[in-house]
Amino acid sequence: MDYVRITHIDDPLFADMHALMGRIFPAEEVLEYELWREPLEDPGIRVFVAVHEGRVVGATEYRYYEDDNVAMTDFTIIGEPGLGIGPFLAQHRQTDLREVATSSGNELFGMFAEIYDPYRAERHEFGGVKPMDPFVRREVLAHLGYRRLDFTYVHPSWNNDGEAVSELDLCFLAYDPATHSLPGALIEKFLRRYYAVLAQKPAAWEQMVDEVGQRDQVALLPL
């Protein structure tokens, strides 16, 4: 299996990846095809696919914010079971991120991720791929060390229609086990920067971001 970076919308592997996203994720979680052009060409956004026997069988997107020394896992897709795609992507992503942080003179502090709450996301089939089942994914990510940030989370729909999506929790993987909370200001800064690409944001999101930014610390809770 190969770990291949995609940097242009015209890469044939991108068409395969976008089709895979459409099979796995609900429509409101998938950015439309043409809108990927600019993100793929952004050197700070890292999109990789797992290629097995010439086929895209998995994918992951993530980014690193040097000024705050944190990363964000945008998504991880396991296209089929039994190939070890999840561990393959996780290991290569971590190695790559640590190298990126080291090149900036940092030791990576941690990584944000939006993680489905299985009790609110049961209706999603996720392409019928069992490793993508919300219950399975949440348990795996808990074992990796992710914890839930202690506030009610919503995010803007990637359809850019101003709708609020509320089936996920915002979580964080801290590489220092002594880290039990994050500054509210850091969370607000991250969310505003991360969702700057979407012009239409729901009022519930704006209120949430304002409120979390006013908190001194936000606890990290078990998944």
PDB file of all heavy atoms in Angstrom, residues 92-113:
ATOM      1  N   HIS A  92       1.145   6.814   9.187  1.00  0.00           N
ATOM      2  CA  HIS A  92       1.805   7.706   8.234  1.00  0.00           C
ATOM      3  C   HIS A  92       1.467   9.171   8.516  1.00  0.00           C
ATOM      4  O   HIS A  92       2.322  10.054   8.362  1.00  0.00           O
ATOM      5  CB  HIS A  92       1.410   7.334   6.809  1.00  0.00           C
ATOM      6  CG  HIS A  92       2.166   6.162   6.270  1.00  0.00           C
ATOM      7  ND1 HIS A  92       1.879   4.857   6.625  1.00  0.00           N
ATOM      8  CD2 HIS A  92       3.223   6.093   5.424  1.00  0.00           C
ATOM      9  CE1 HIS A  92       2.705   4.042   5.999  1.00  0.00           C
ATOM     10  NE2 HIS A  92       3.536   4.761   5.272  1.00  0.00           N
ATOM     11  N   ARG A  93       0.226   9.444   8.925  1.00  0.00           N
ATOM     12  CA  ARG A  93      -0.154  10.820   9.253  1.00  0.00           C
ATOM     13  C   ARG A  93       0.650  11.335  10.436  1.00  0.00           C
ATOM     14  O   ARG A  93       1.164  12.459  10.414  1.00  0.00           O
ATOM     15  CB  ARG A  93      -1.657  10.876   9.562  1.00  0.00           C
ATOM     16  CG  ARG A  93      -2.144  12.277   9.942  1.00  0.00           C
ATOM     17  CD  ARG A  93      -3.657  12.283  10.142  1.00  0.00           C
ATOM     18  NE  ARG A  93      -4.064  11.367  11.196  1.00  0.00           N
ATOM     19  CZ  ARG A  93      -5.100  10.541  11.110  1.00  0.00           C
ATOM     20  NH1 ARG A  93      -5.848  10.491  10.022  1.00  0.00           N
ATOM     21  NH2 ARG A  93      -5.414   9.761  12.119  1.00  0.00           N
ATOM     22  N   GLN A  94       0.775  10.533  11.474  1.00  0.00           N
ATOM     23  CA  GLN A  94       1.513  10.974  12.647  1.00  0.00           C
ATOM     24  C   GLN A  94       2.980  11.223  12.322  1.00  0.00           C
ATOM     25  O   GLN A  94       3.560  12.223  12.760  1.00  0.00           O
ATOM     26  CB  GLN A  94       1.392   9.942  13.770  1.00  0.00           C
ATOM     27  CG  GLN A  94       2.113  10.359  15.047  1.00  0.00           C
ATOM     28  CD  GLN A  94       1.712   9.526  16.236  1.00  0.00           C
ATOM     29  OE1 GLN A  94       0.534   9.323  16.497  1.00  0.00           O
ATOM     30  NE2 GLN A  94       2.689   9.039  16.975  1.00  0.00           N
ATOM     31  N   THR A  95       3.581  10.326  11.549  1.00  0.00           N
ATOM     32  CA  THR A  95       4.981  10.509  11.158  1.00  0.00           C
ATOM     33  C   THR A  95       5.155  11.798  10.361  1.00  0.00           C
ATOM     34  O   THR A  95       6.077  12.587  10.606  1.00  0.00           O
ATOM     35  CB  THR A  95       5.467   9.314  10.323  1.00  0.00           C
ATOM     36  OG1 THR A  95       5.407   8.132  11.125  1.00  0.00           O
ATOM     37  CG2 THR A  95       6.898   9.518   9.855  1.00  0.00           C
ATOM     38  N   ASP A  96       4.254  12.021   9.418  1.00  0.00           N
ATOM     39  CA  ASP A  96       4.340  13.220   8.576  1.00  0.00           C
ATOM     40  C   ASP A  96       4.160  14.488   9.405  1.00  0.00           C
ATOM     41  O   ASP A  96       4.916  15.462   9.251  1.00  0.00           O
ATOM     42  CB  ASP A  96       3.283  13.141   7.483  1.00  0.00           C
ATOM     43  CG  ASP A  96       3.350  14.310   6.519  1.00  0.00           C
ATOM     44  OD1 ASP A  96       4.425  14.554   5.935  1.00  0.00           O
ATOM     45  OD2 ASP A  96       2.327  14.997   6.344  1.00  0.00           O
ATOM     46  N   LEU A  97       3.175  14.488  10.302  1.00  0.00           N
ATOM     47  CA  LEU A  97       2.926  15.683  11.121  1.00  0.00           C
ATOM     48  C   LEU A  97       4.091  15.984  12.047  1.00  0.00           C
ATOM     49  O   LEU A  97       4.461  17.150  12.236  1.00  0.00           O
ATOM     50  CB  LEU A  97       1.645  15.501  11.938  1.00  0.00           C
ATOM     51  CG  LEU A  97       0.353  15.897  11.235  1.00  0.00           C
ATOM     52  CD1 LEU A  97      -0.848  15.460  12.061  1.00  0.00           C
ATOM     53  CD2 LEU A  97       0.312  17.398  10.984  1.00  0.00           C
ATOM     54  N   ARG A  98       4.668  14.975  12.631  1.00  0.00           N
ATOM     55  CA  ARG A  98       5.821  15.198  13.511  1.00  0.00           C
ATOM     56  C   ARG A  98       6.987  15.779  12.719  1.00  0.00           C
ATOM     57  O   ARG A  98       7.698  16.656  13.222  1.00  0.00           O
ATOM     58  CB  ARG A  98       6.219  13.893  14.203  1.00  0.00           C
ATOM     59  CG  ARG A  98       5.238  13.434  15.279  1.00  0.00           C
ATOM     60  CD  ARG A  98       5.803  12.288  16.098  1.00  0.00           C
ATOM     61  NE  ARG A  98       4.868  11.773  17.074  1.00  0.00           N
ATOM     62  CZ  ARG A  98       4.635  12.324  18.270  1.00  0.00           C
ATOM     63  NH1 ARG A  98       5.260  13.429  18.620  1.00  0.00           N
ATOM     64  NH2 ARG A  98       3.771  11.758  19.108  1.00  0.00           N
ATOM     65  N   GLU A  99       7.166  15.332  11.491  1.00  0.00           N
ATOM     66  CA  GLU A  99       8.237  15.877  10.657  1.00  0.00           C
ATOM     67  C   GLU A  99       7.968  17.337  10.304  1.00  0.00           C
ATOM     68  O   GLU A  99       8.886  18.163  10.314  1.00  0.00           O
ATOM     69  CB  GLU A  99       8.390  15.036   9.387  1.00  0.00           C
ATOM     70  CG  GLU A  99       8.965  13.647   9.637  1.00  0.00           C
ATOM     71  CD  GLU A  99       8.995  12.789   8.389  1.00  0.00           C
ATOM     72  OE1 GLU A  99       8.450  13.233   7.347  1.00  0.00           O
ATOM     73  OE2 GLU A  99       9.540  11.668   8.456  1.00  0.00           O
ATOM     74  N   VAL A 100       6.711  17.652  10.007  1.00  0.00           N
ATOM     75  CA  VAL A 100       6.339  19.027   9.685  1.00  0.00           C
ATOM     76  C   VAL A 100       6.575  19.940  10.897  1.00  0.00           C
ATOM     77  O   VAL A 100       7.127  21.037  10.775  1.00  0.00           O
ATOM     78  CB  VAL A 100       4.877  19.110   9.214  1.00  0.00           C
ATOM     79  CG1 VAL A 100       4.428  20.554   9.093  1.00  0.00           C
ATOM     80  CG2 VAL A 100       4.709  18.396   7.883  1.00  0.00           C
ATOM     81  N   ALA A 101       6.142  19.474  12.079  1.00  0.00           N
ATOM     82  CA  ALA A 101       6.342  20.271  13.296  1.00  0.00           C
ATOM     83  C   ALA A 101       7.821  20.443  13.598  1.00  0.00           C
ATOM     84  O   ALA A 101       8.272  21.546  13.952  1.00  0.00           O
ATOM     85  CB  ALA A 101       5.632  19.609  14.472  1.00  0.00           C
ATOM     86  N   THR A 102       8.588  19.377  13.456  1.00  0.00           N
ATOM     87  CA  THR A 102      10.023  19.443  13.730  1.00  0.00           C
ATOM     88  C   THR A 102      10.709  20.434  12.797  1.00  0.00           C
ATOM     89  O   THR A 102      11.602  21.182  13.213  1.00  0.00           O
ATOM     90  CB  THR A 102      10.663  18.051  13.572  1.00  0.00           C
ATOM     91  OG1 THR A 102      10.075  17.168  14.529  1.00  0.00           O
ATOM     92  CG2 THR A 102      12.165  18.099  13.812  1.00  0.00           C
ATOM     93  N   SER A 103      10.286  20.464  11.537  1.00  0.00           N
ATOM     94  CA  SER A 103      10.888  21.403  10.585  1.00  0.00           C
ATOM     95  C   SER A 103      10.602  22.850  10.956  1.00  0.00           C
ATOM     96  O   SER A 103      11.295  23.766  10.515  1.00  0.00           O
ATOM     97  CB  SER A 103      10.377  21.117   9.175  1.00  0.00           C
ATOM     98  OG  SER A 103       9.002  21.454   9.036  1.00  0.00           O
ATOM     99  N   SER A 104       9.560  23.055  11.791  1.00  0.00           N
ATOM    100  CA  SER A 104       9.234  24.400  12.283  1.00  0.00           C
ATOM    101  C   SER A 104       9.861  24.669  13.647  1.00  0.00           C
ATOM    102  O   SER A 104       9.595  25.704  14.265  1.00  0.00           O
ATOM    103  CB  SER A 104       7.715  24.562  12.382  1.00  0.00           C
ATOM    104  OG  SER A 104       7.089  24.369  11.136  1.00  0.00           O
ATOM    105  N   GLY A 105      10.644  23.715  14.139  1.00  0.00           N
ATOM    106  CA  GLY A 105      11.301  23.878  15.431  1.00  0.00           C
ATOM    107  C   GLY A 105      10.417  23.545  16.609  1.00  0.00           C
ATOM    108  O   GLY A 105      10.704  23.965  17.735  1.00  0.00           O
ATOM    109  N   ASN A 106       9.351  22.772  16.374  1.00  0.00           N
ATOM    110  CA  ASN A 106       8.402  22.446  17.438  1.00  0.00           C
ATOM    111  C   ASN A 106       8.303  20.949  17.661  1.00  0.00           C
ATOM    112  O   ASN A 106       8.637  20.150  16.782  1.00  0.00           O
ATOM    113  CB  ASN A 106       6.994  22.963  17.073  1.00  0.00           C
ATOM    114  CG  ASN A 106       6.915  24.468  16.992  1.00  0.00           C
ATOM    115  OD1 ASN A 106       7.516  25.164  17.818  1.00  0.00           O
ATOM    116  ND2 ASN A 106       6.192  24.978  16.018  1.00  0.00           N
ATOM    117  N   GLU A 107       7.802  20.596  18.834  1.00  0.00           N
ATOM    118  CA  GLU A 107       7.366  19.232  19.113  1.00  0.00           C
ATOM    119  C   GLU A 107       5.850  19.289  19.204  1.00  0.00           C
ATOM    120  O   GLU A 107       5.294  19.962  20.071  1.00  0.00           O
ATOM    121  CB  GLU A 107       7.960  18.710  20.419  1.00  0.00           C
ATOM    122  CG  GLU A 107       7.597  17.275  20.718  1.00  0.00           C
ATOM    123  CD  GLU A 107       8.277  16.741  21.971  1.00  0.00           C
ATOM    124  OE1 GLU A 107       9.221  17.387  22.462  1.00  0.00           O
ATOM    125  OE2 GLU A 107       7.844  15.679  22.462  1.00  0.00           O
ATOM    126  N   LEU A 108       5.164  18.604  18.306  1.00  0.00           N
ATOM    127  CA  LEU A 108       3.722  18.744  18.139  1.00  0.00           C
ATOM    128  C   LEU A 108       2.973  18.622  19.463  1.00  0.00           C
ATOM    129  O   LEU A 108       3.122  17.639  20.188  1.00  0.00           O
ATOM    130  CB  LEU A 108       3.221  17.684  17.151  1.00  0.00           C
ATOM    131  CG  LEU A 108       1.740  17.734  16.777  1.00  0.00           C
ATOM    132  CD1 LEU A 108       1.396  19.047  16.091  1.00  0.00           C
ATOM    133  CD2 LEU A 108       1.395  16.559  15.872  1.00  0.00           C
ATOM    134  N   PHE A 109       2.140  19.635  19.762  1.00  0.00           N
ATOM    135  CA  PHE A 109       1.392  19.660  21.012  1.00  0.00           C
ATOM    136  C   PHE A 109       0.180  18.739  20.967  1.00  0.00           C
ATOM    137  O   PHE A 109      -0.104  18.002  21.923  1.00  0.00           O
ATOM    138  CB  PHE A 109       0.938  21.096  21.312  1.00  0.00           C
ATOM    139  CG  PHE A 109       0.001  21.221  22.482  1.00  0.00           C
ATOM    140  CD1 PHE A 109       0.371  20.794  23.756  1.00  0.00           C
ATOM    141  CD2 PHE A 109      -1.270  21.755  22.311  1.00  0.00           C
ATOM    142  CE1 PHE A 109      -0.503  20.904  24.834  1.00  0.00           C
ATOM    143  CE2 PHE A 109      -2.149  21.874  23.386  1.00  0.00           C
ATOM    144  CZ  PHE A 109      -1.764  21.449  24.641  1.00  0.00           C
ATOM    145  N   GLY A 110      -0.557  18.769  19.855  1.00  0.00           N
ATOM    146  CA  GLY A 110      -1.744  17.927  19.784  1.00  0.00           C
ATOM    147  C   GLY A 110      -2.536  18.172  18.519  1.00  0.00           C
ATOM    148  O   GLY A 110      -2.146  18.972  17.664  1.00  0.00           O
ATOM    149  N   MET A 111      -3.674  17.490  18.422  1.00  0.00           N
ATOM    150  CA  MET A 111      -4.441  17.503  17.188  1.00  0.00           C
ATOM    151  C   MET A 111      -5.935  17.502  17.468  1.00  0.00           C
ATOM    152  O   MET A 111      -6.439  16.685  18.242  1.00  0.00           O
ATOM    153  CB  MET A 111      -4.058  16.282  16.350  1.00  0.00           C
ATOM    154  CG  MET A 111      -4.695  16.193  14.994  1.00  0.00           C
ATOM    155  SD  MET A 111      -3.779  15.142  13.827  1.00  0.00           S
ATOM    156  CE  MET A 111      -3.186  13.815  14.874  1.00  0.00           C
ATOM    157  N   PHE A 112      -6.650  18.429  16.826  1.00  0.00           N
ATOM    158  CA  PHE A 112      -8.106  18.479  16.894  1.00  0.00           C
ATOM    159  C   PHE A 112      -8.711  17.456  15.930  1.00  0.00           C
ATOM    160  O   PHE A 112      -8.090  17.068  14.930  1.00  0.00           O
ATOM    161  CB  PHE A 112      -8.618  19.866  16.490  1.00  0.00           C
ATOM    162  CG  PHE A 112      -8.384  20.951  17.497  1.00  0.00           C
ATOM    163  CD1 PHE A 112      -7.316  21.829  17.355  1.00  0.00           C
ATOM    164  CD2 PHE A 112      -9.237  21.115  18.578  1.00  0.00           C
ATOM    165  CE1 PHE A 112      -7.105  22.853  18.269  1.00  0.00           C
ATOM    166  CE2 PHE A 112      -9.041  22.130  19.506  1.00  0.00           C
ATOM    167  CZ  PHE A 112      -7.962  23.006  19.352  1.00  0.00           C
ATOM    168  N   ALA A 113      -9.932  17.042  16.220  1.00  0.00           N
ATOM    169  CA  ALA A 113     -10.707  16.213  15.295  1.00  0.00           C
ATOM    170  C   ALA A 113     -12.176  16.334  15.656  1.00  0.00           C
ATOM    171  O   ALA A 113     -12.530  16.445  16.837  1.00  0.00           O
ATOM    172  CB  ALA A 113     -10.269  14.749  15.355  1.00  0.00           C
TER     173      ALA A 113
END
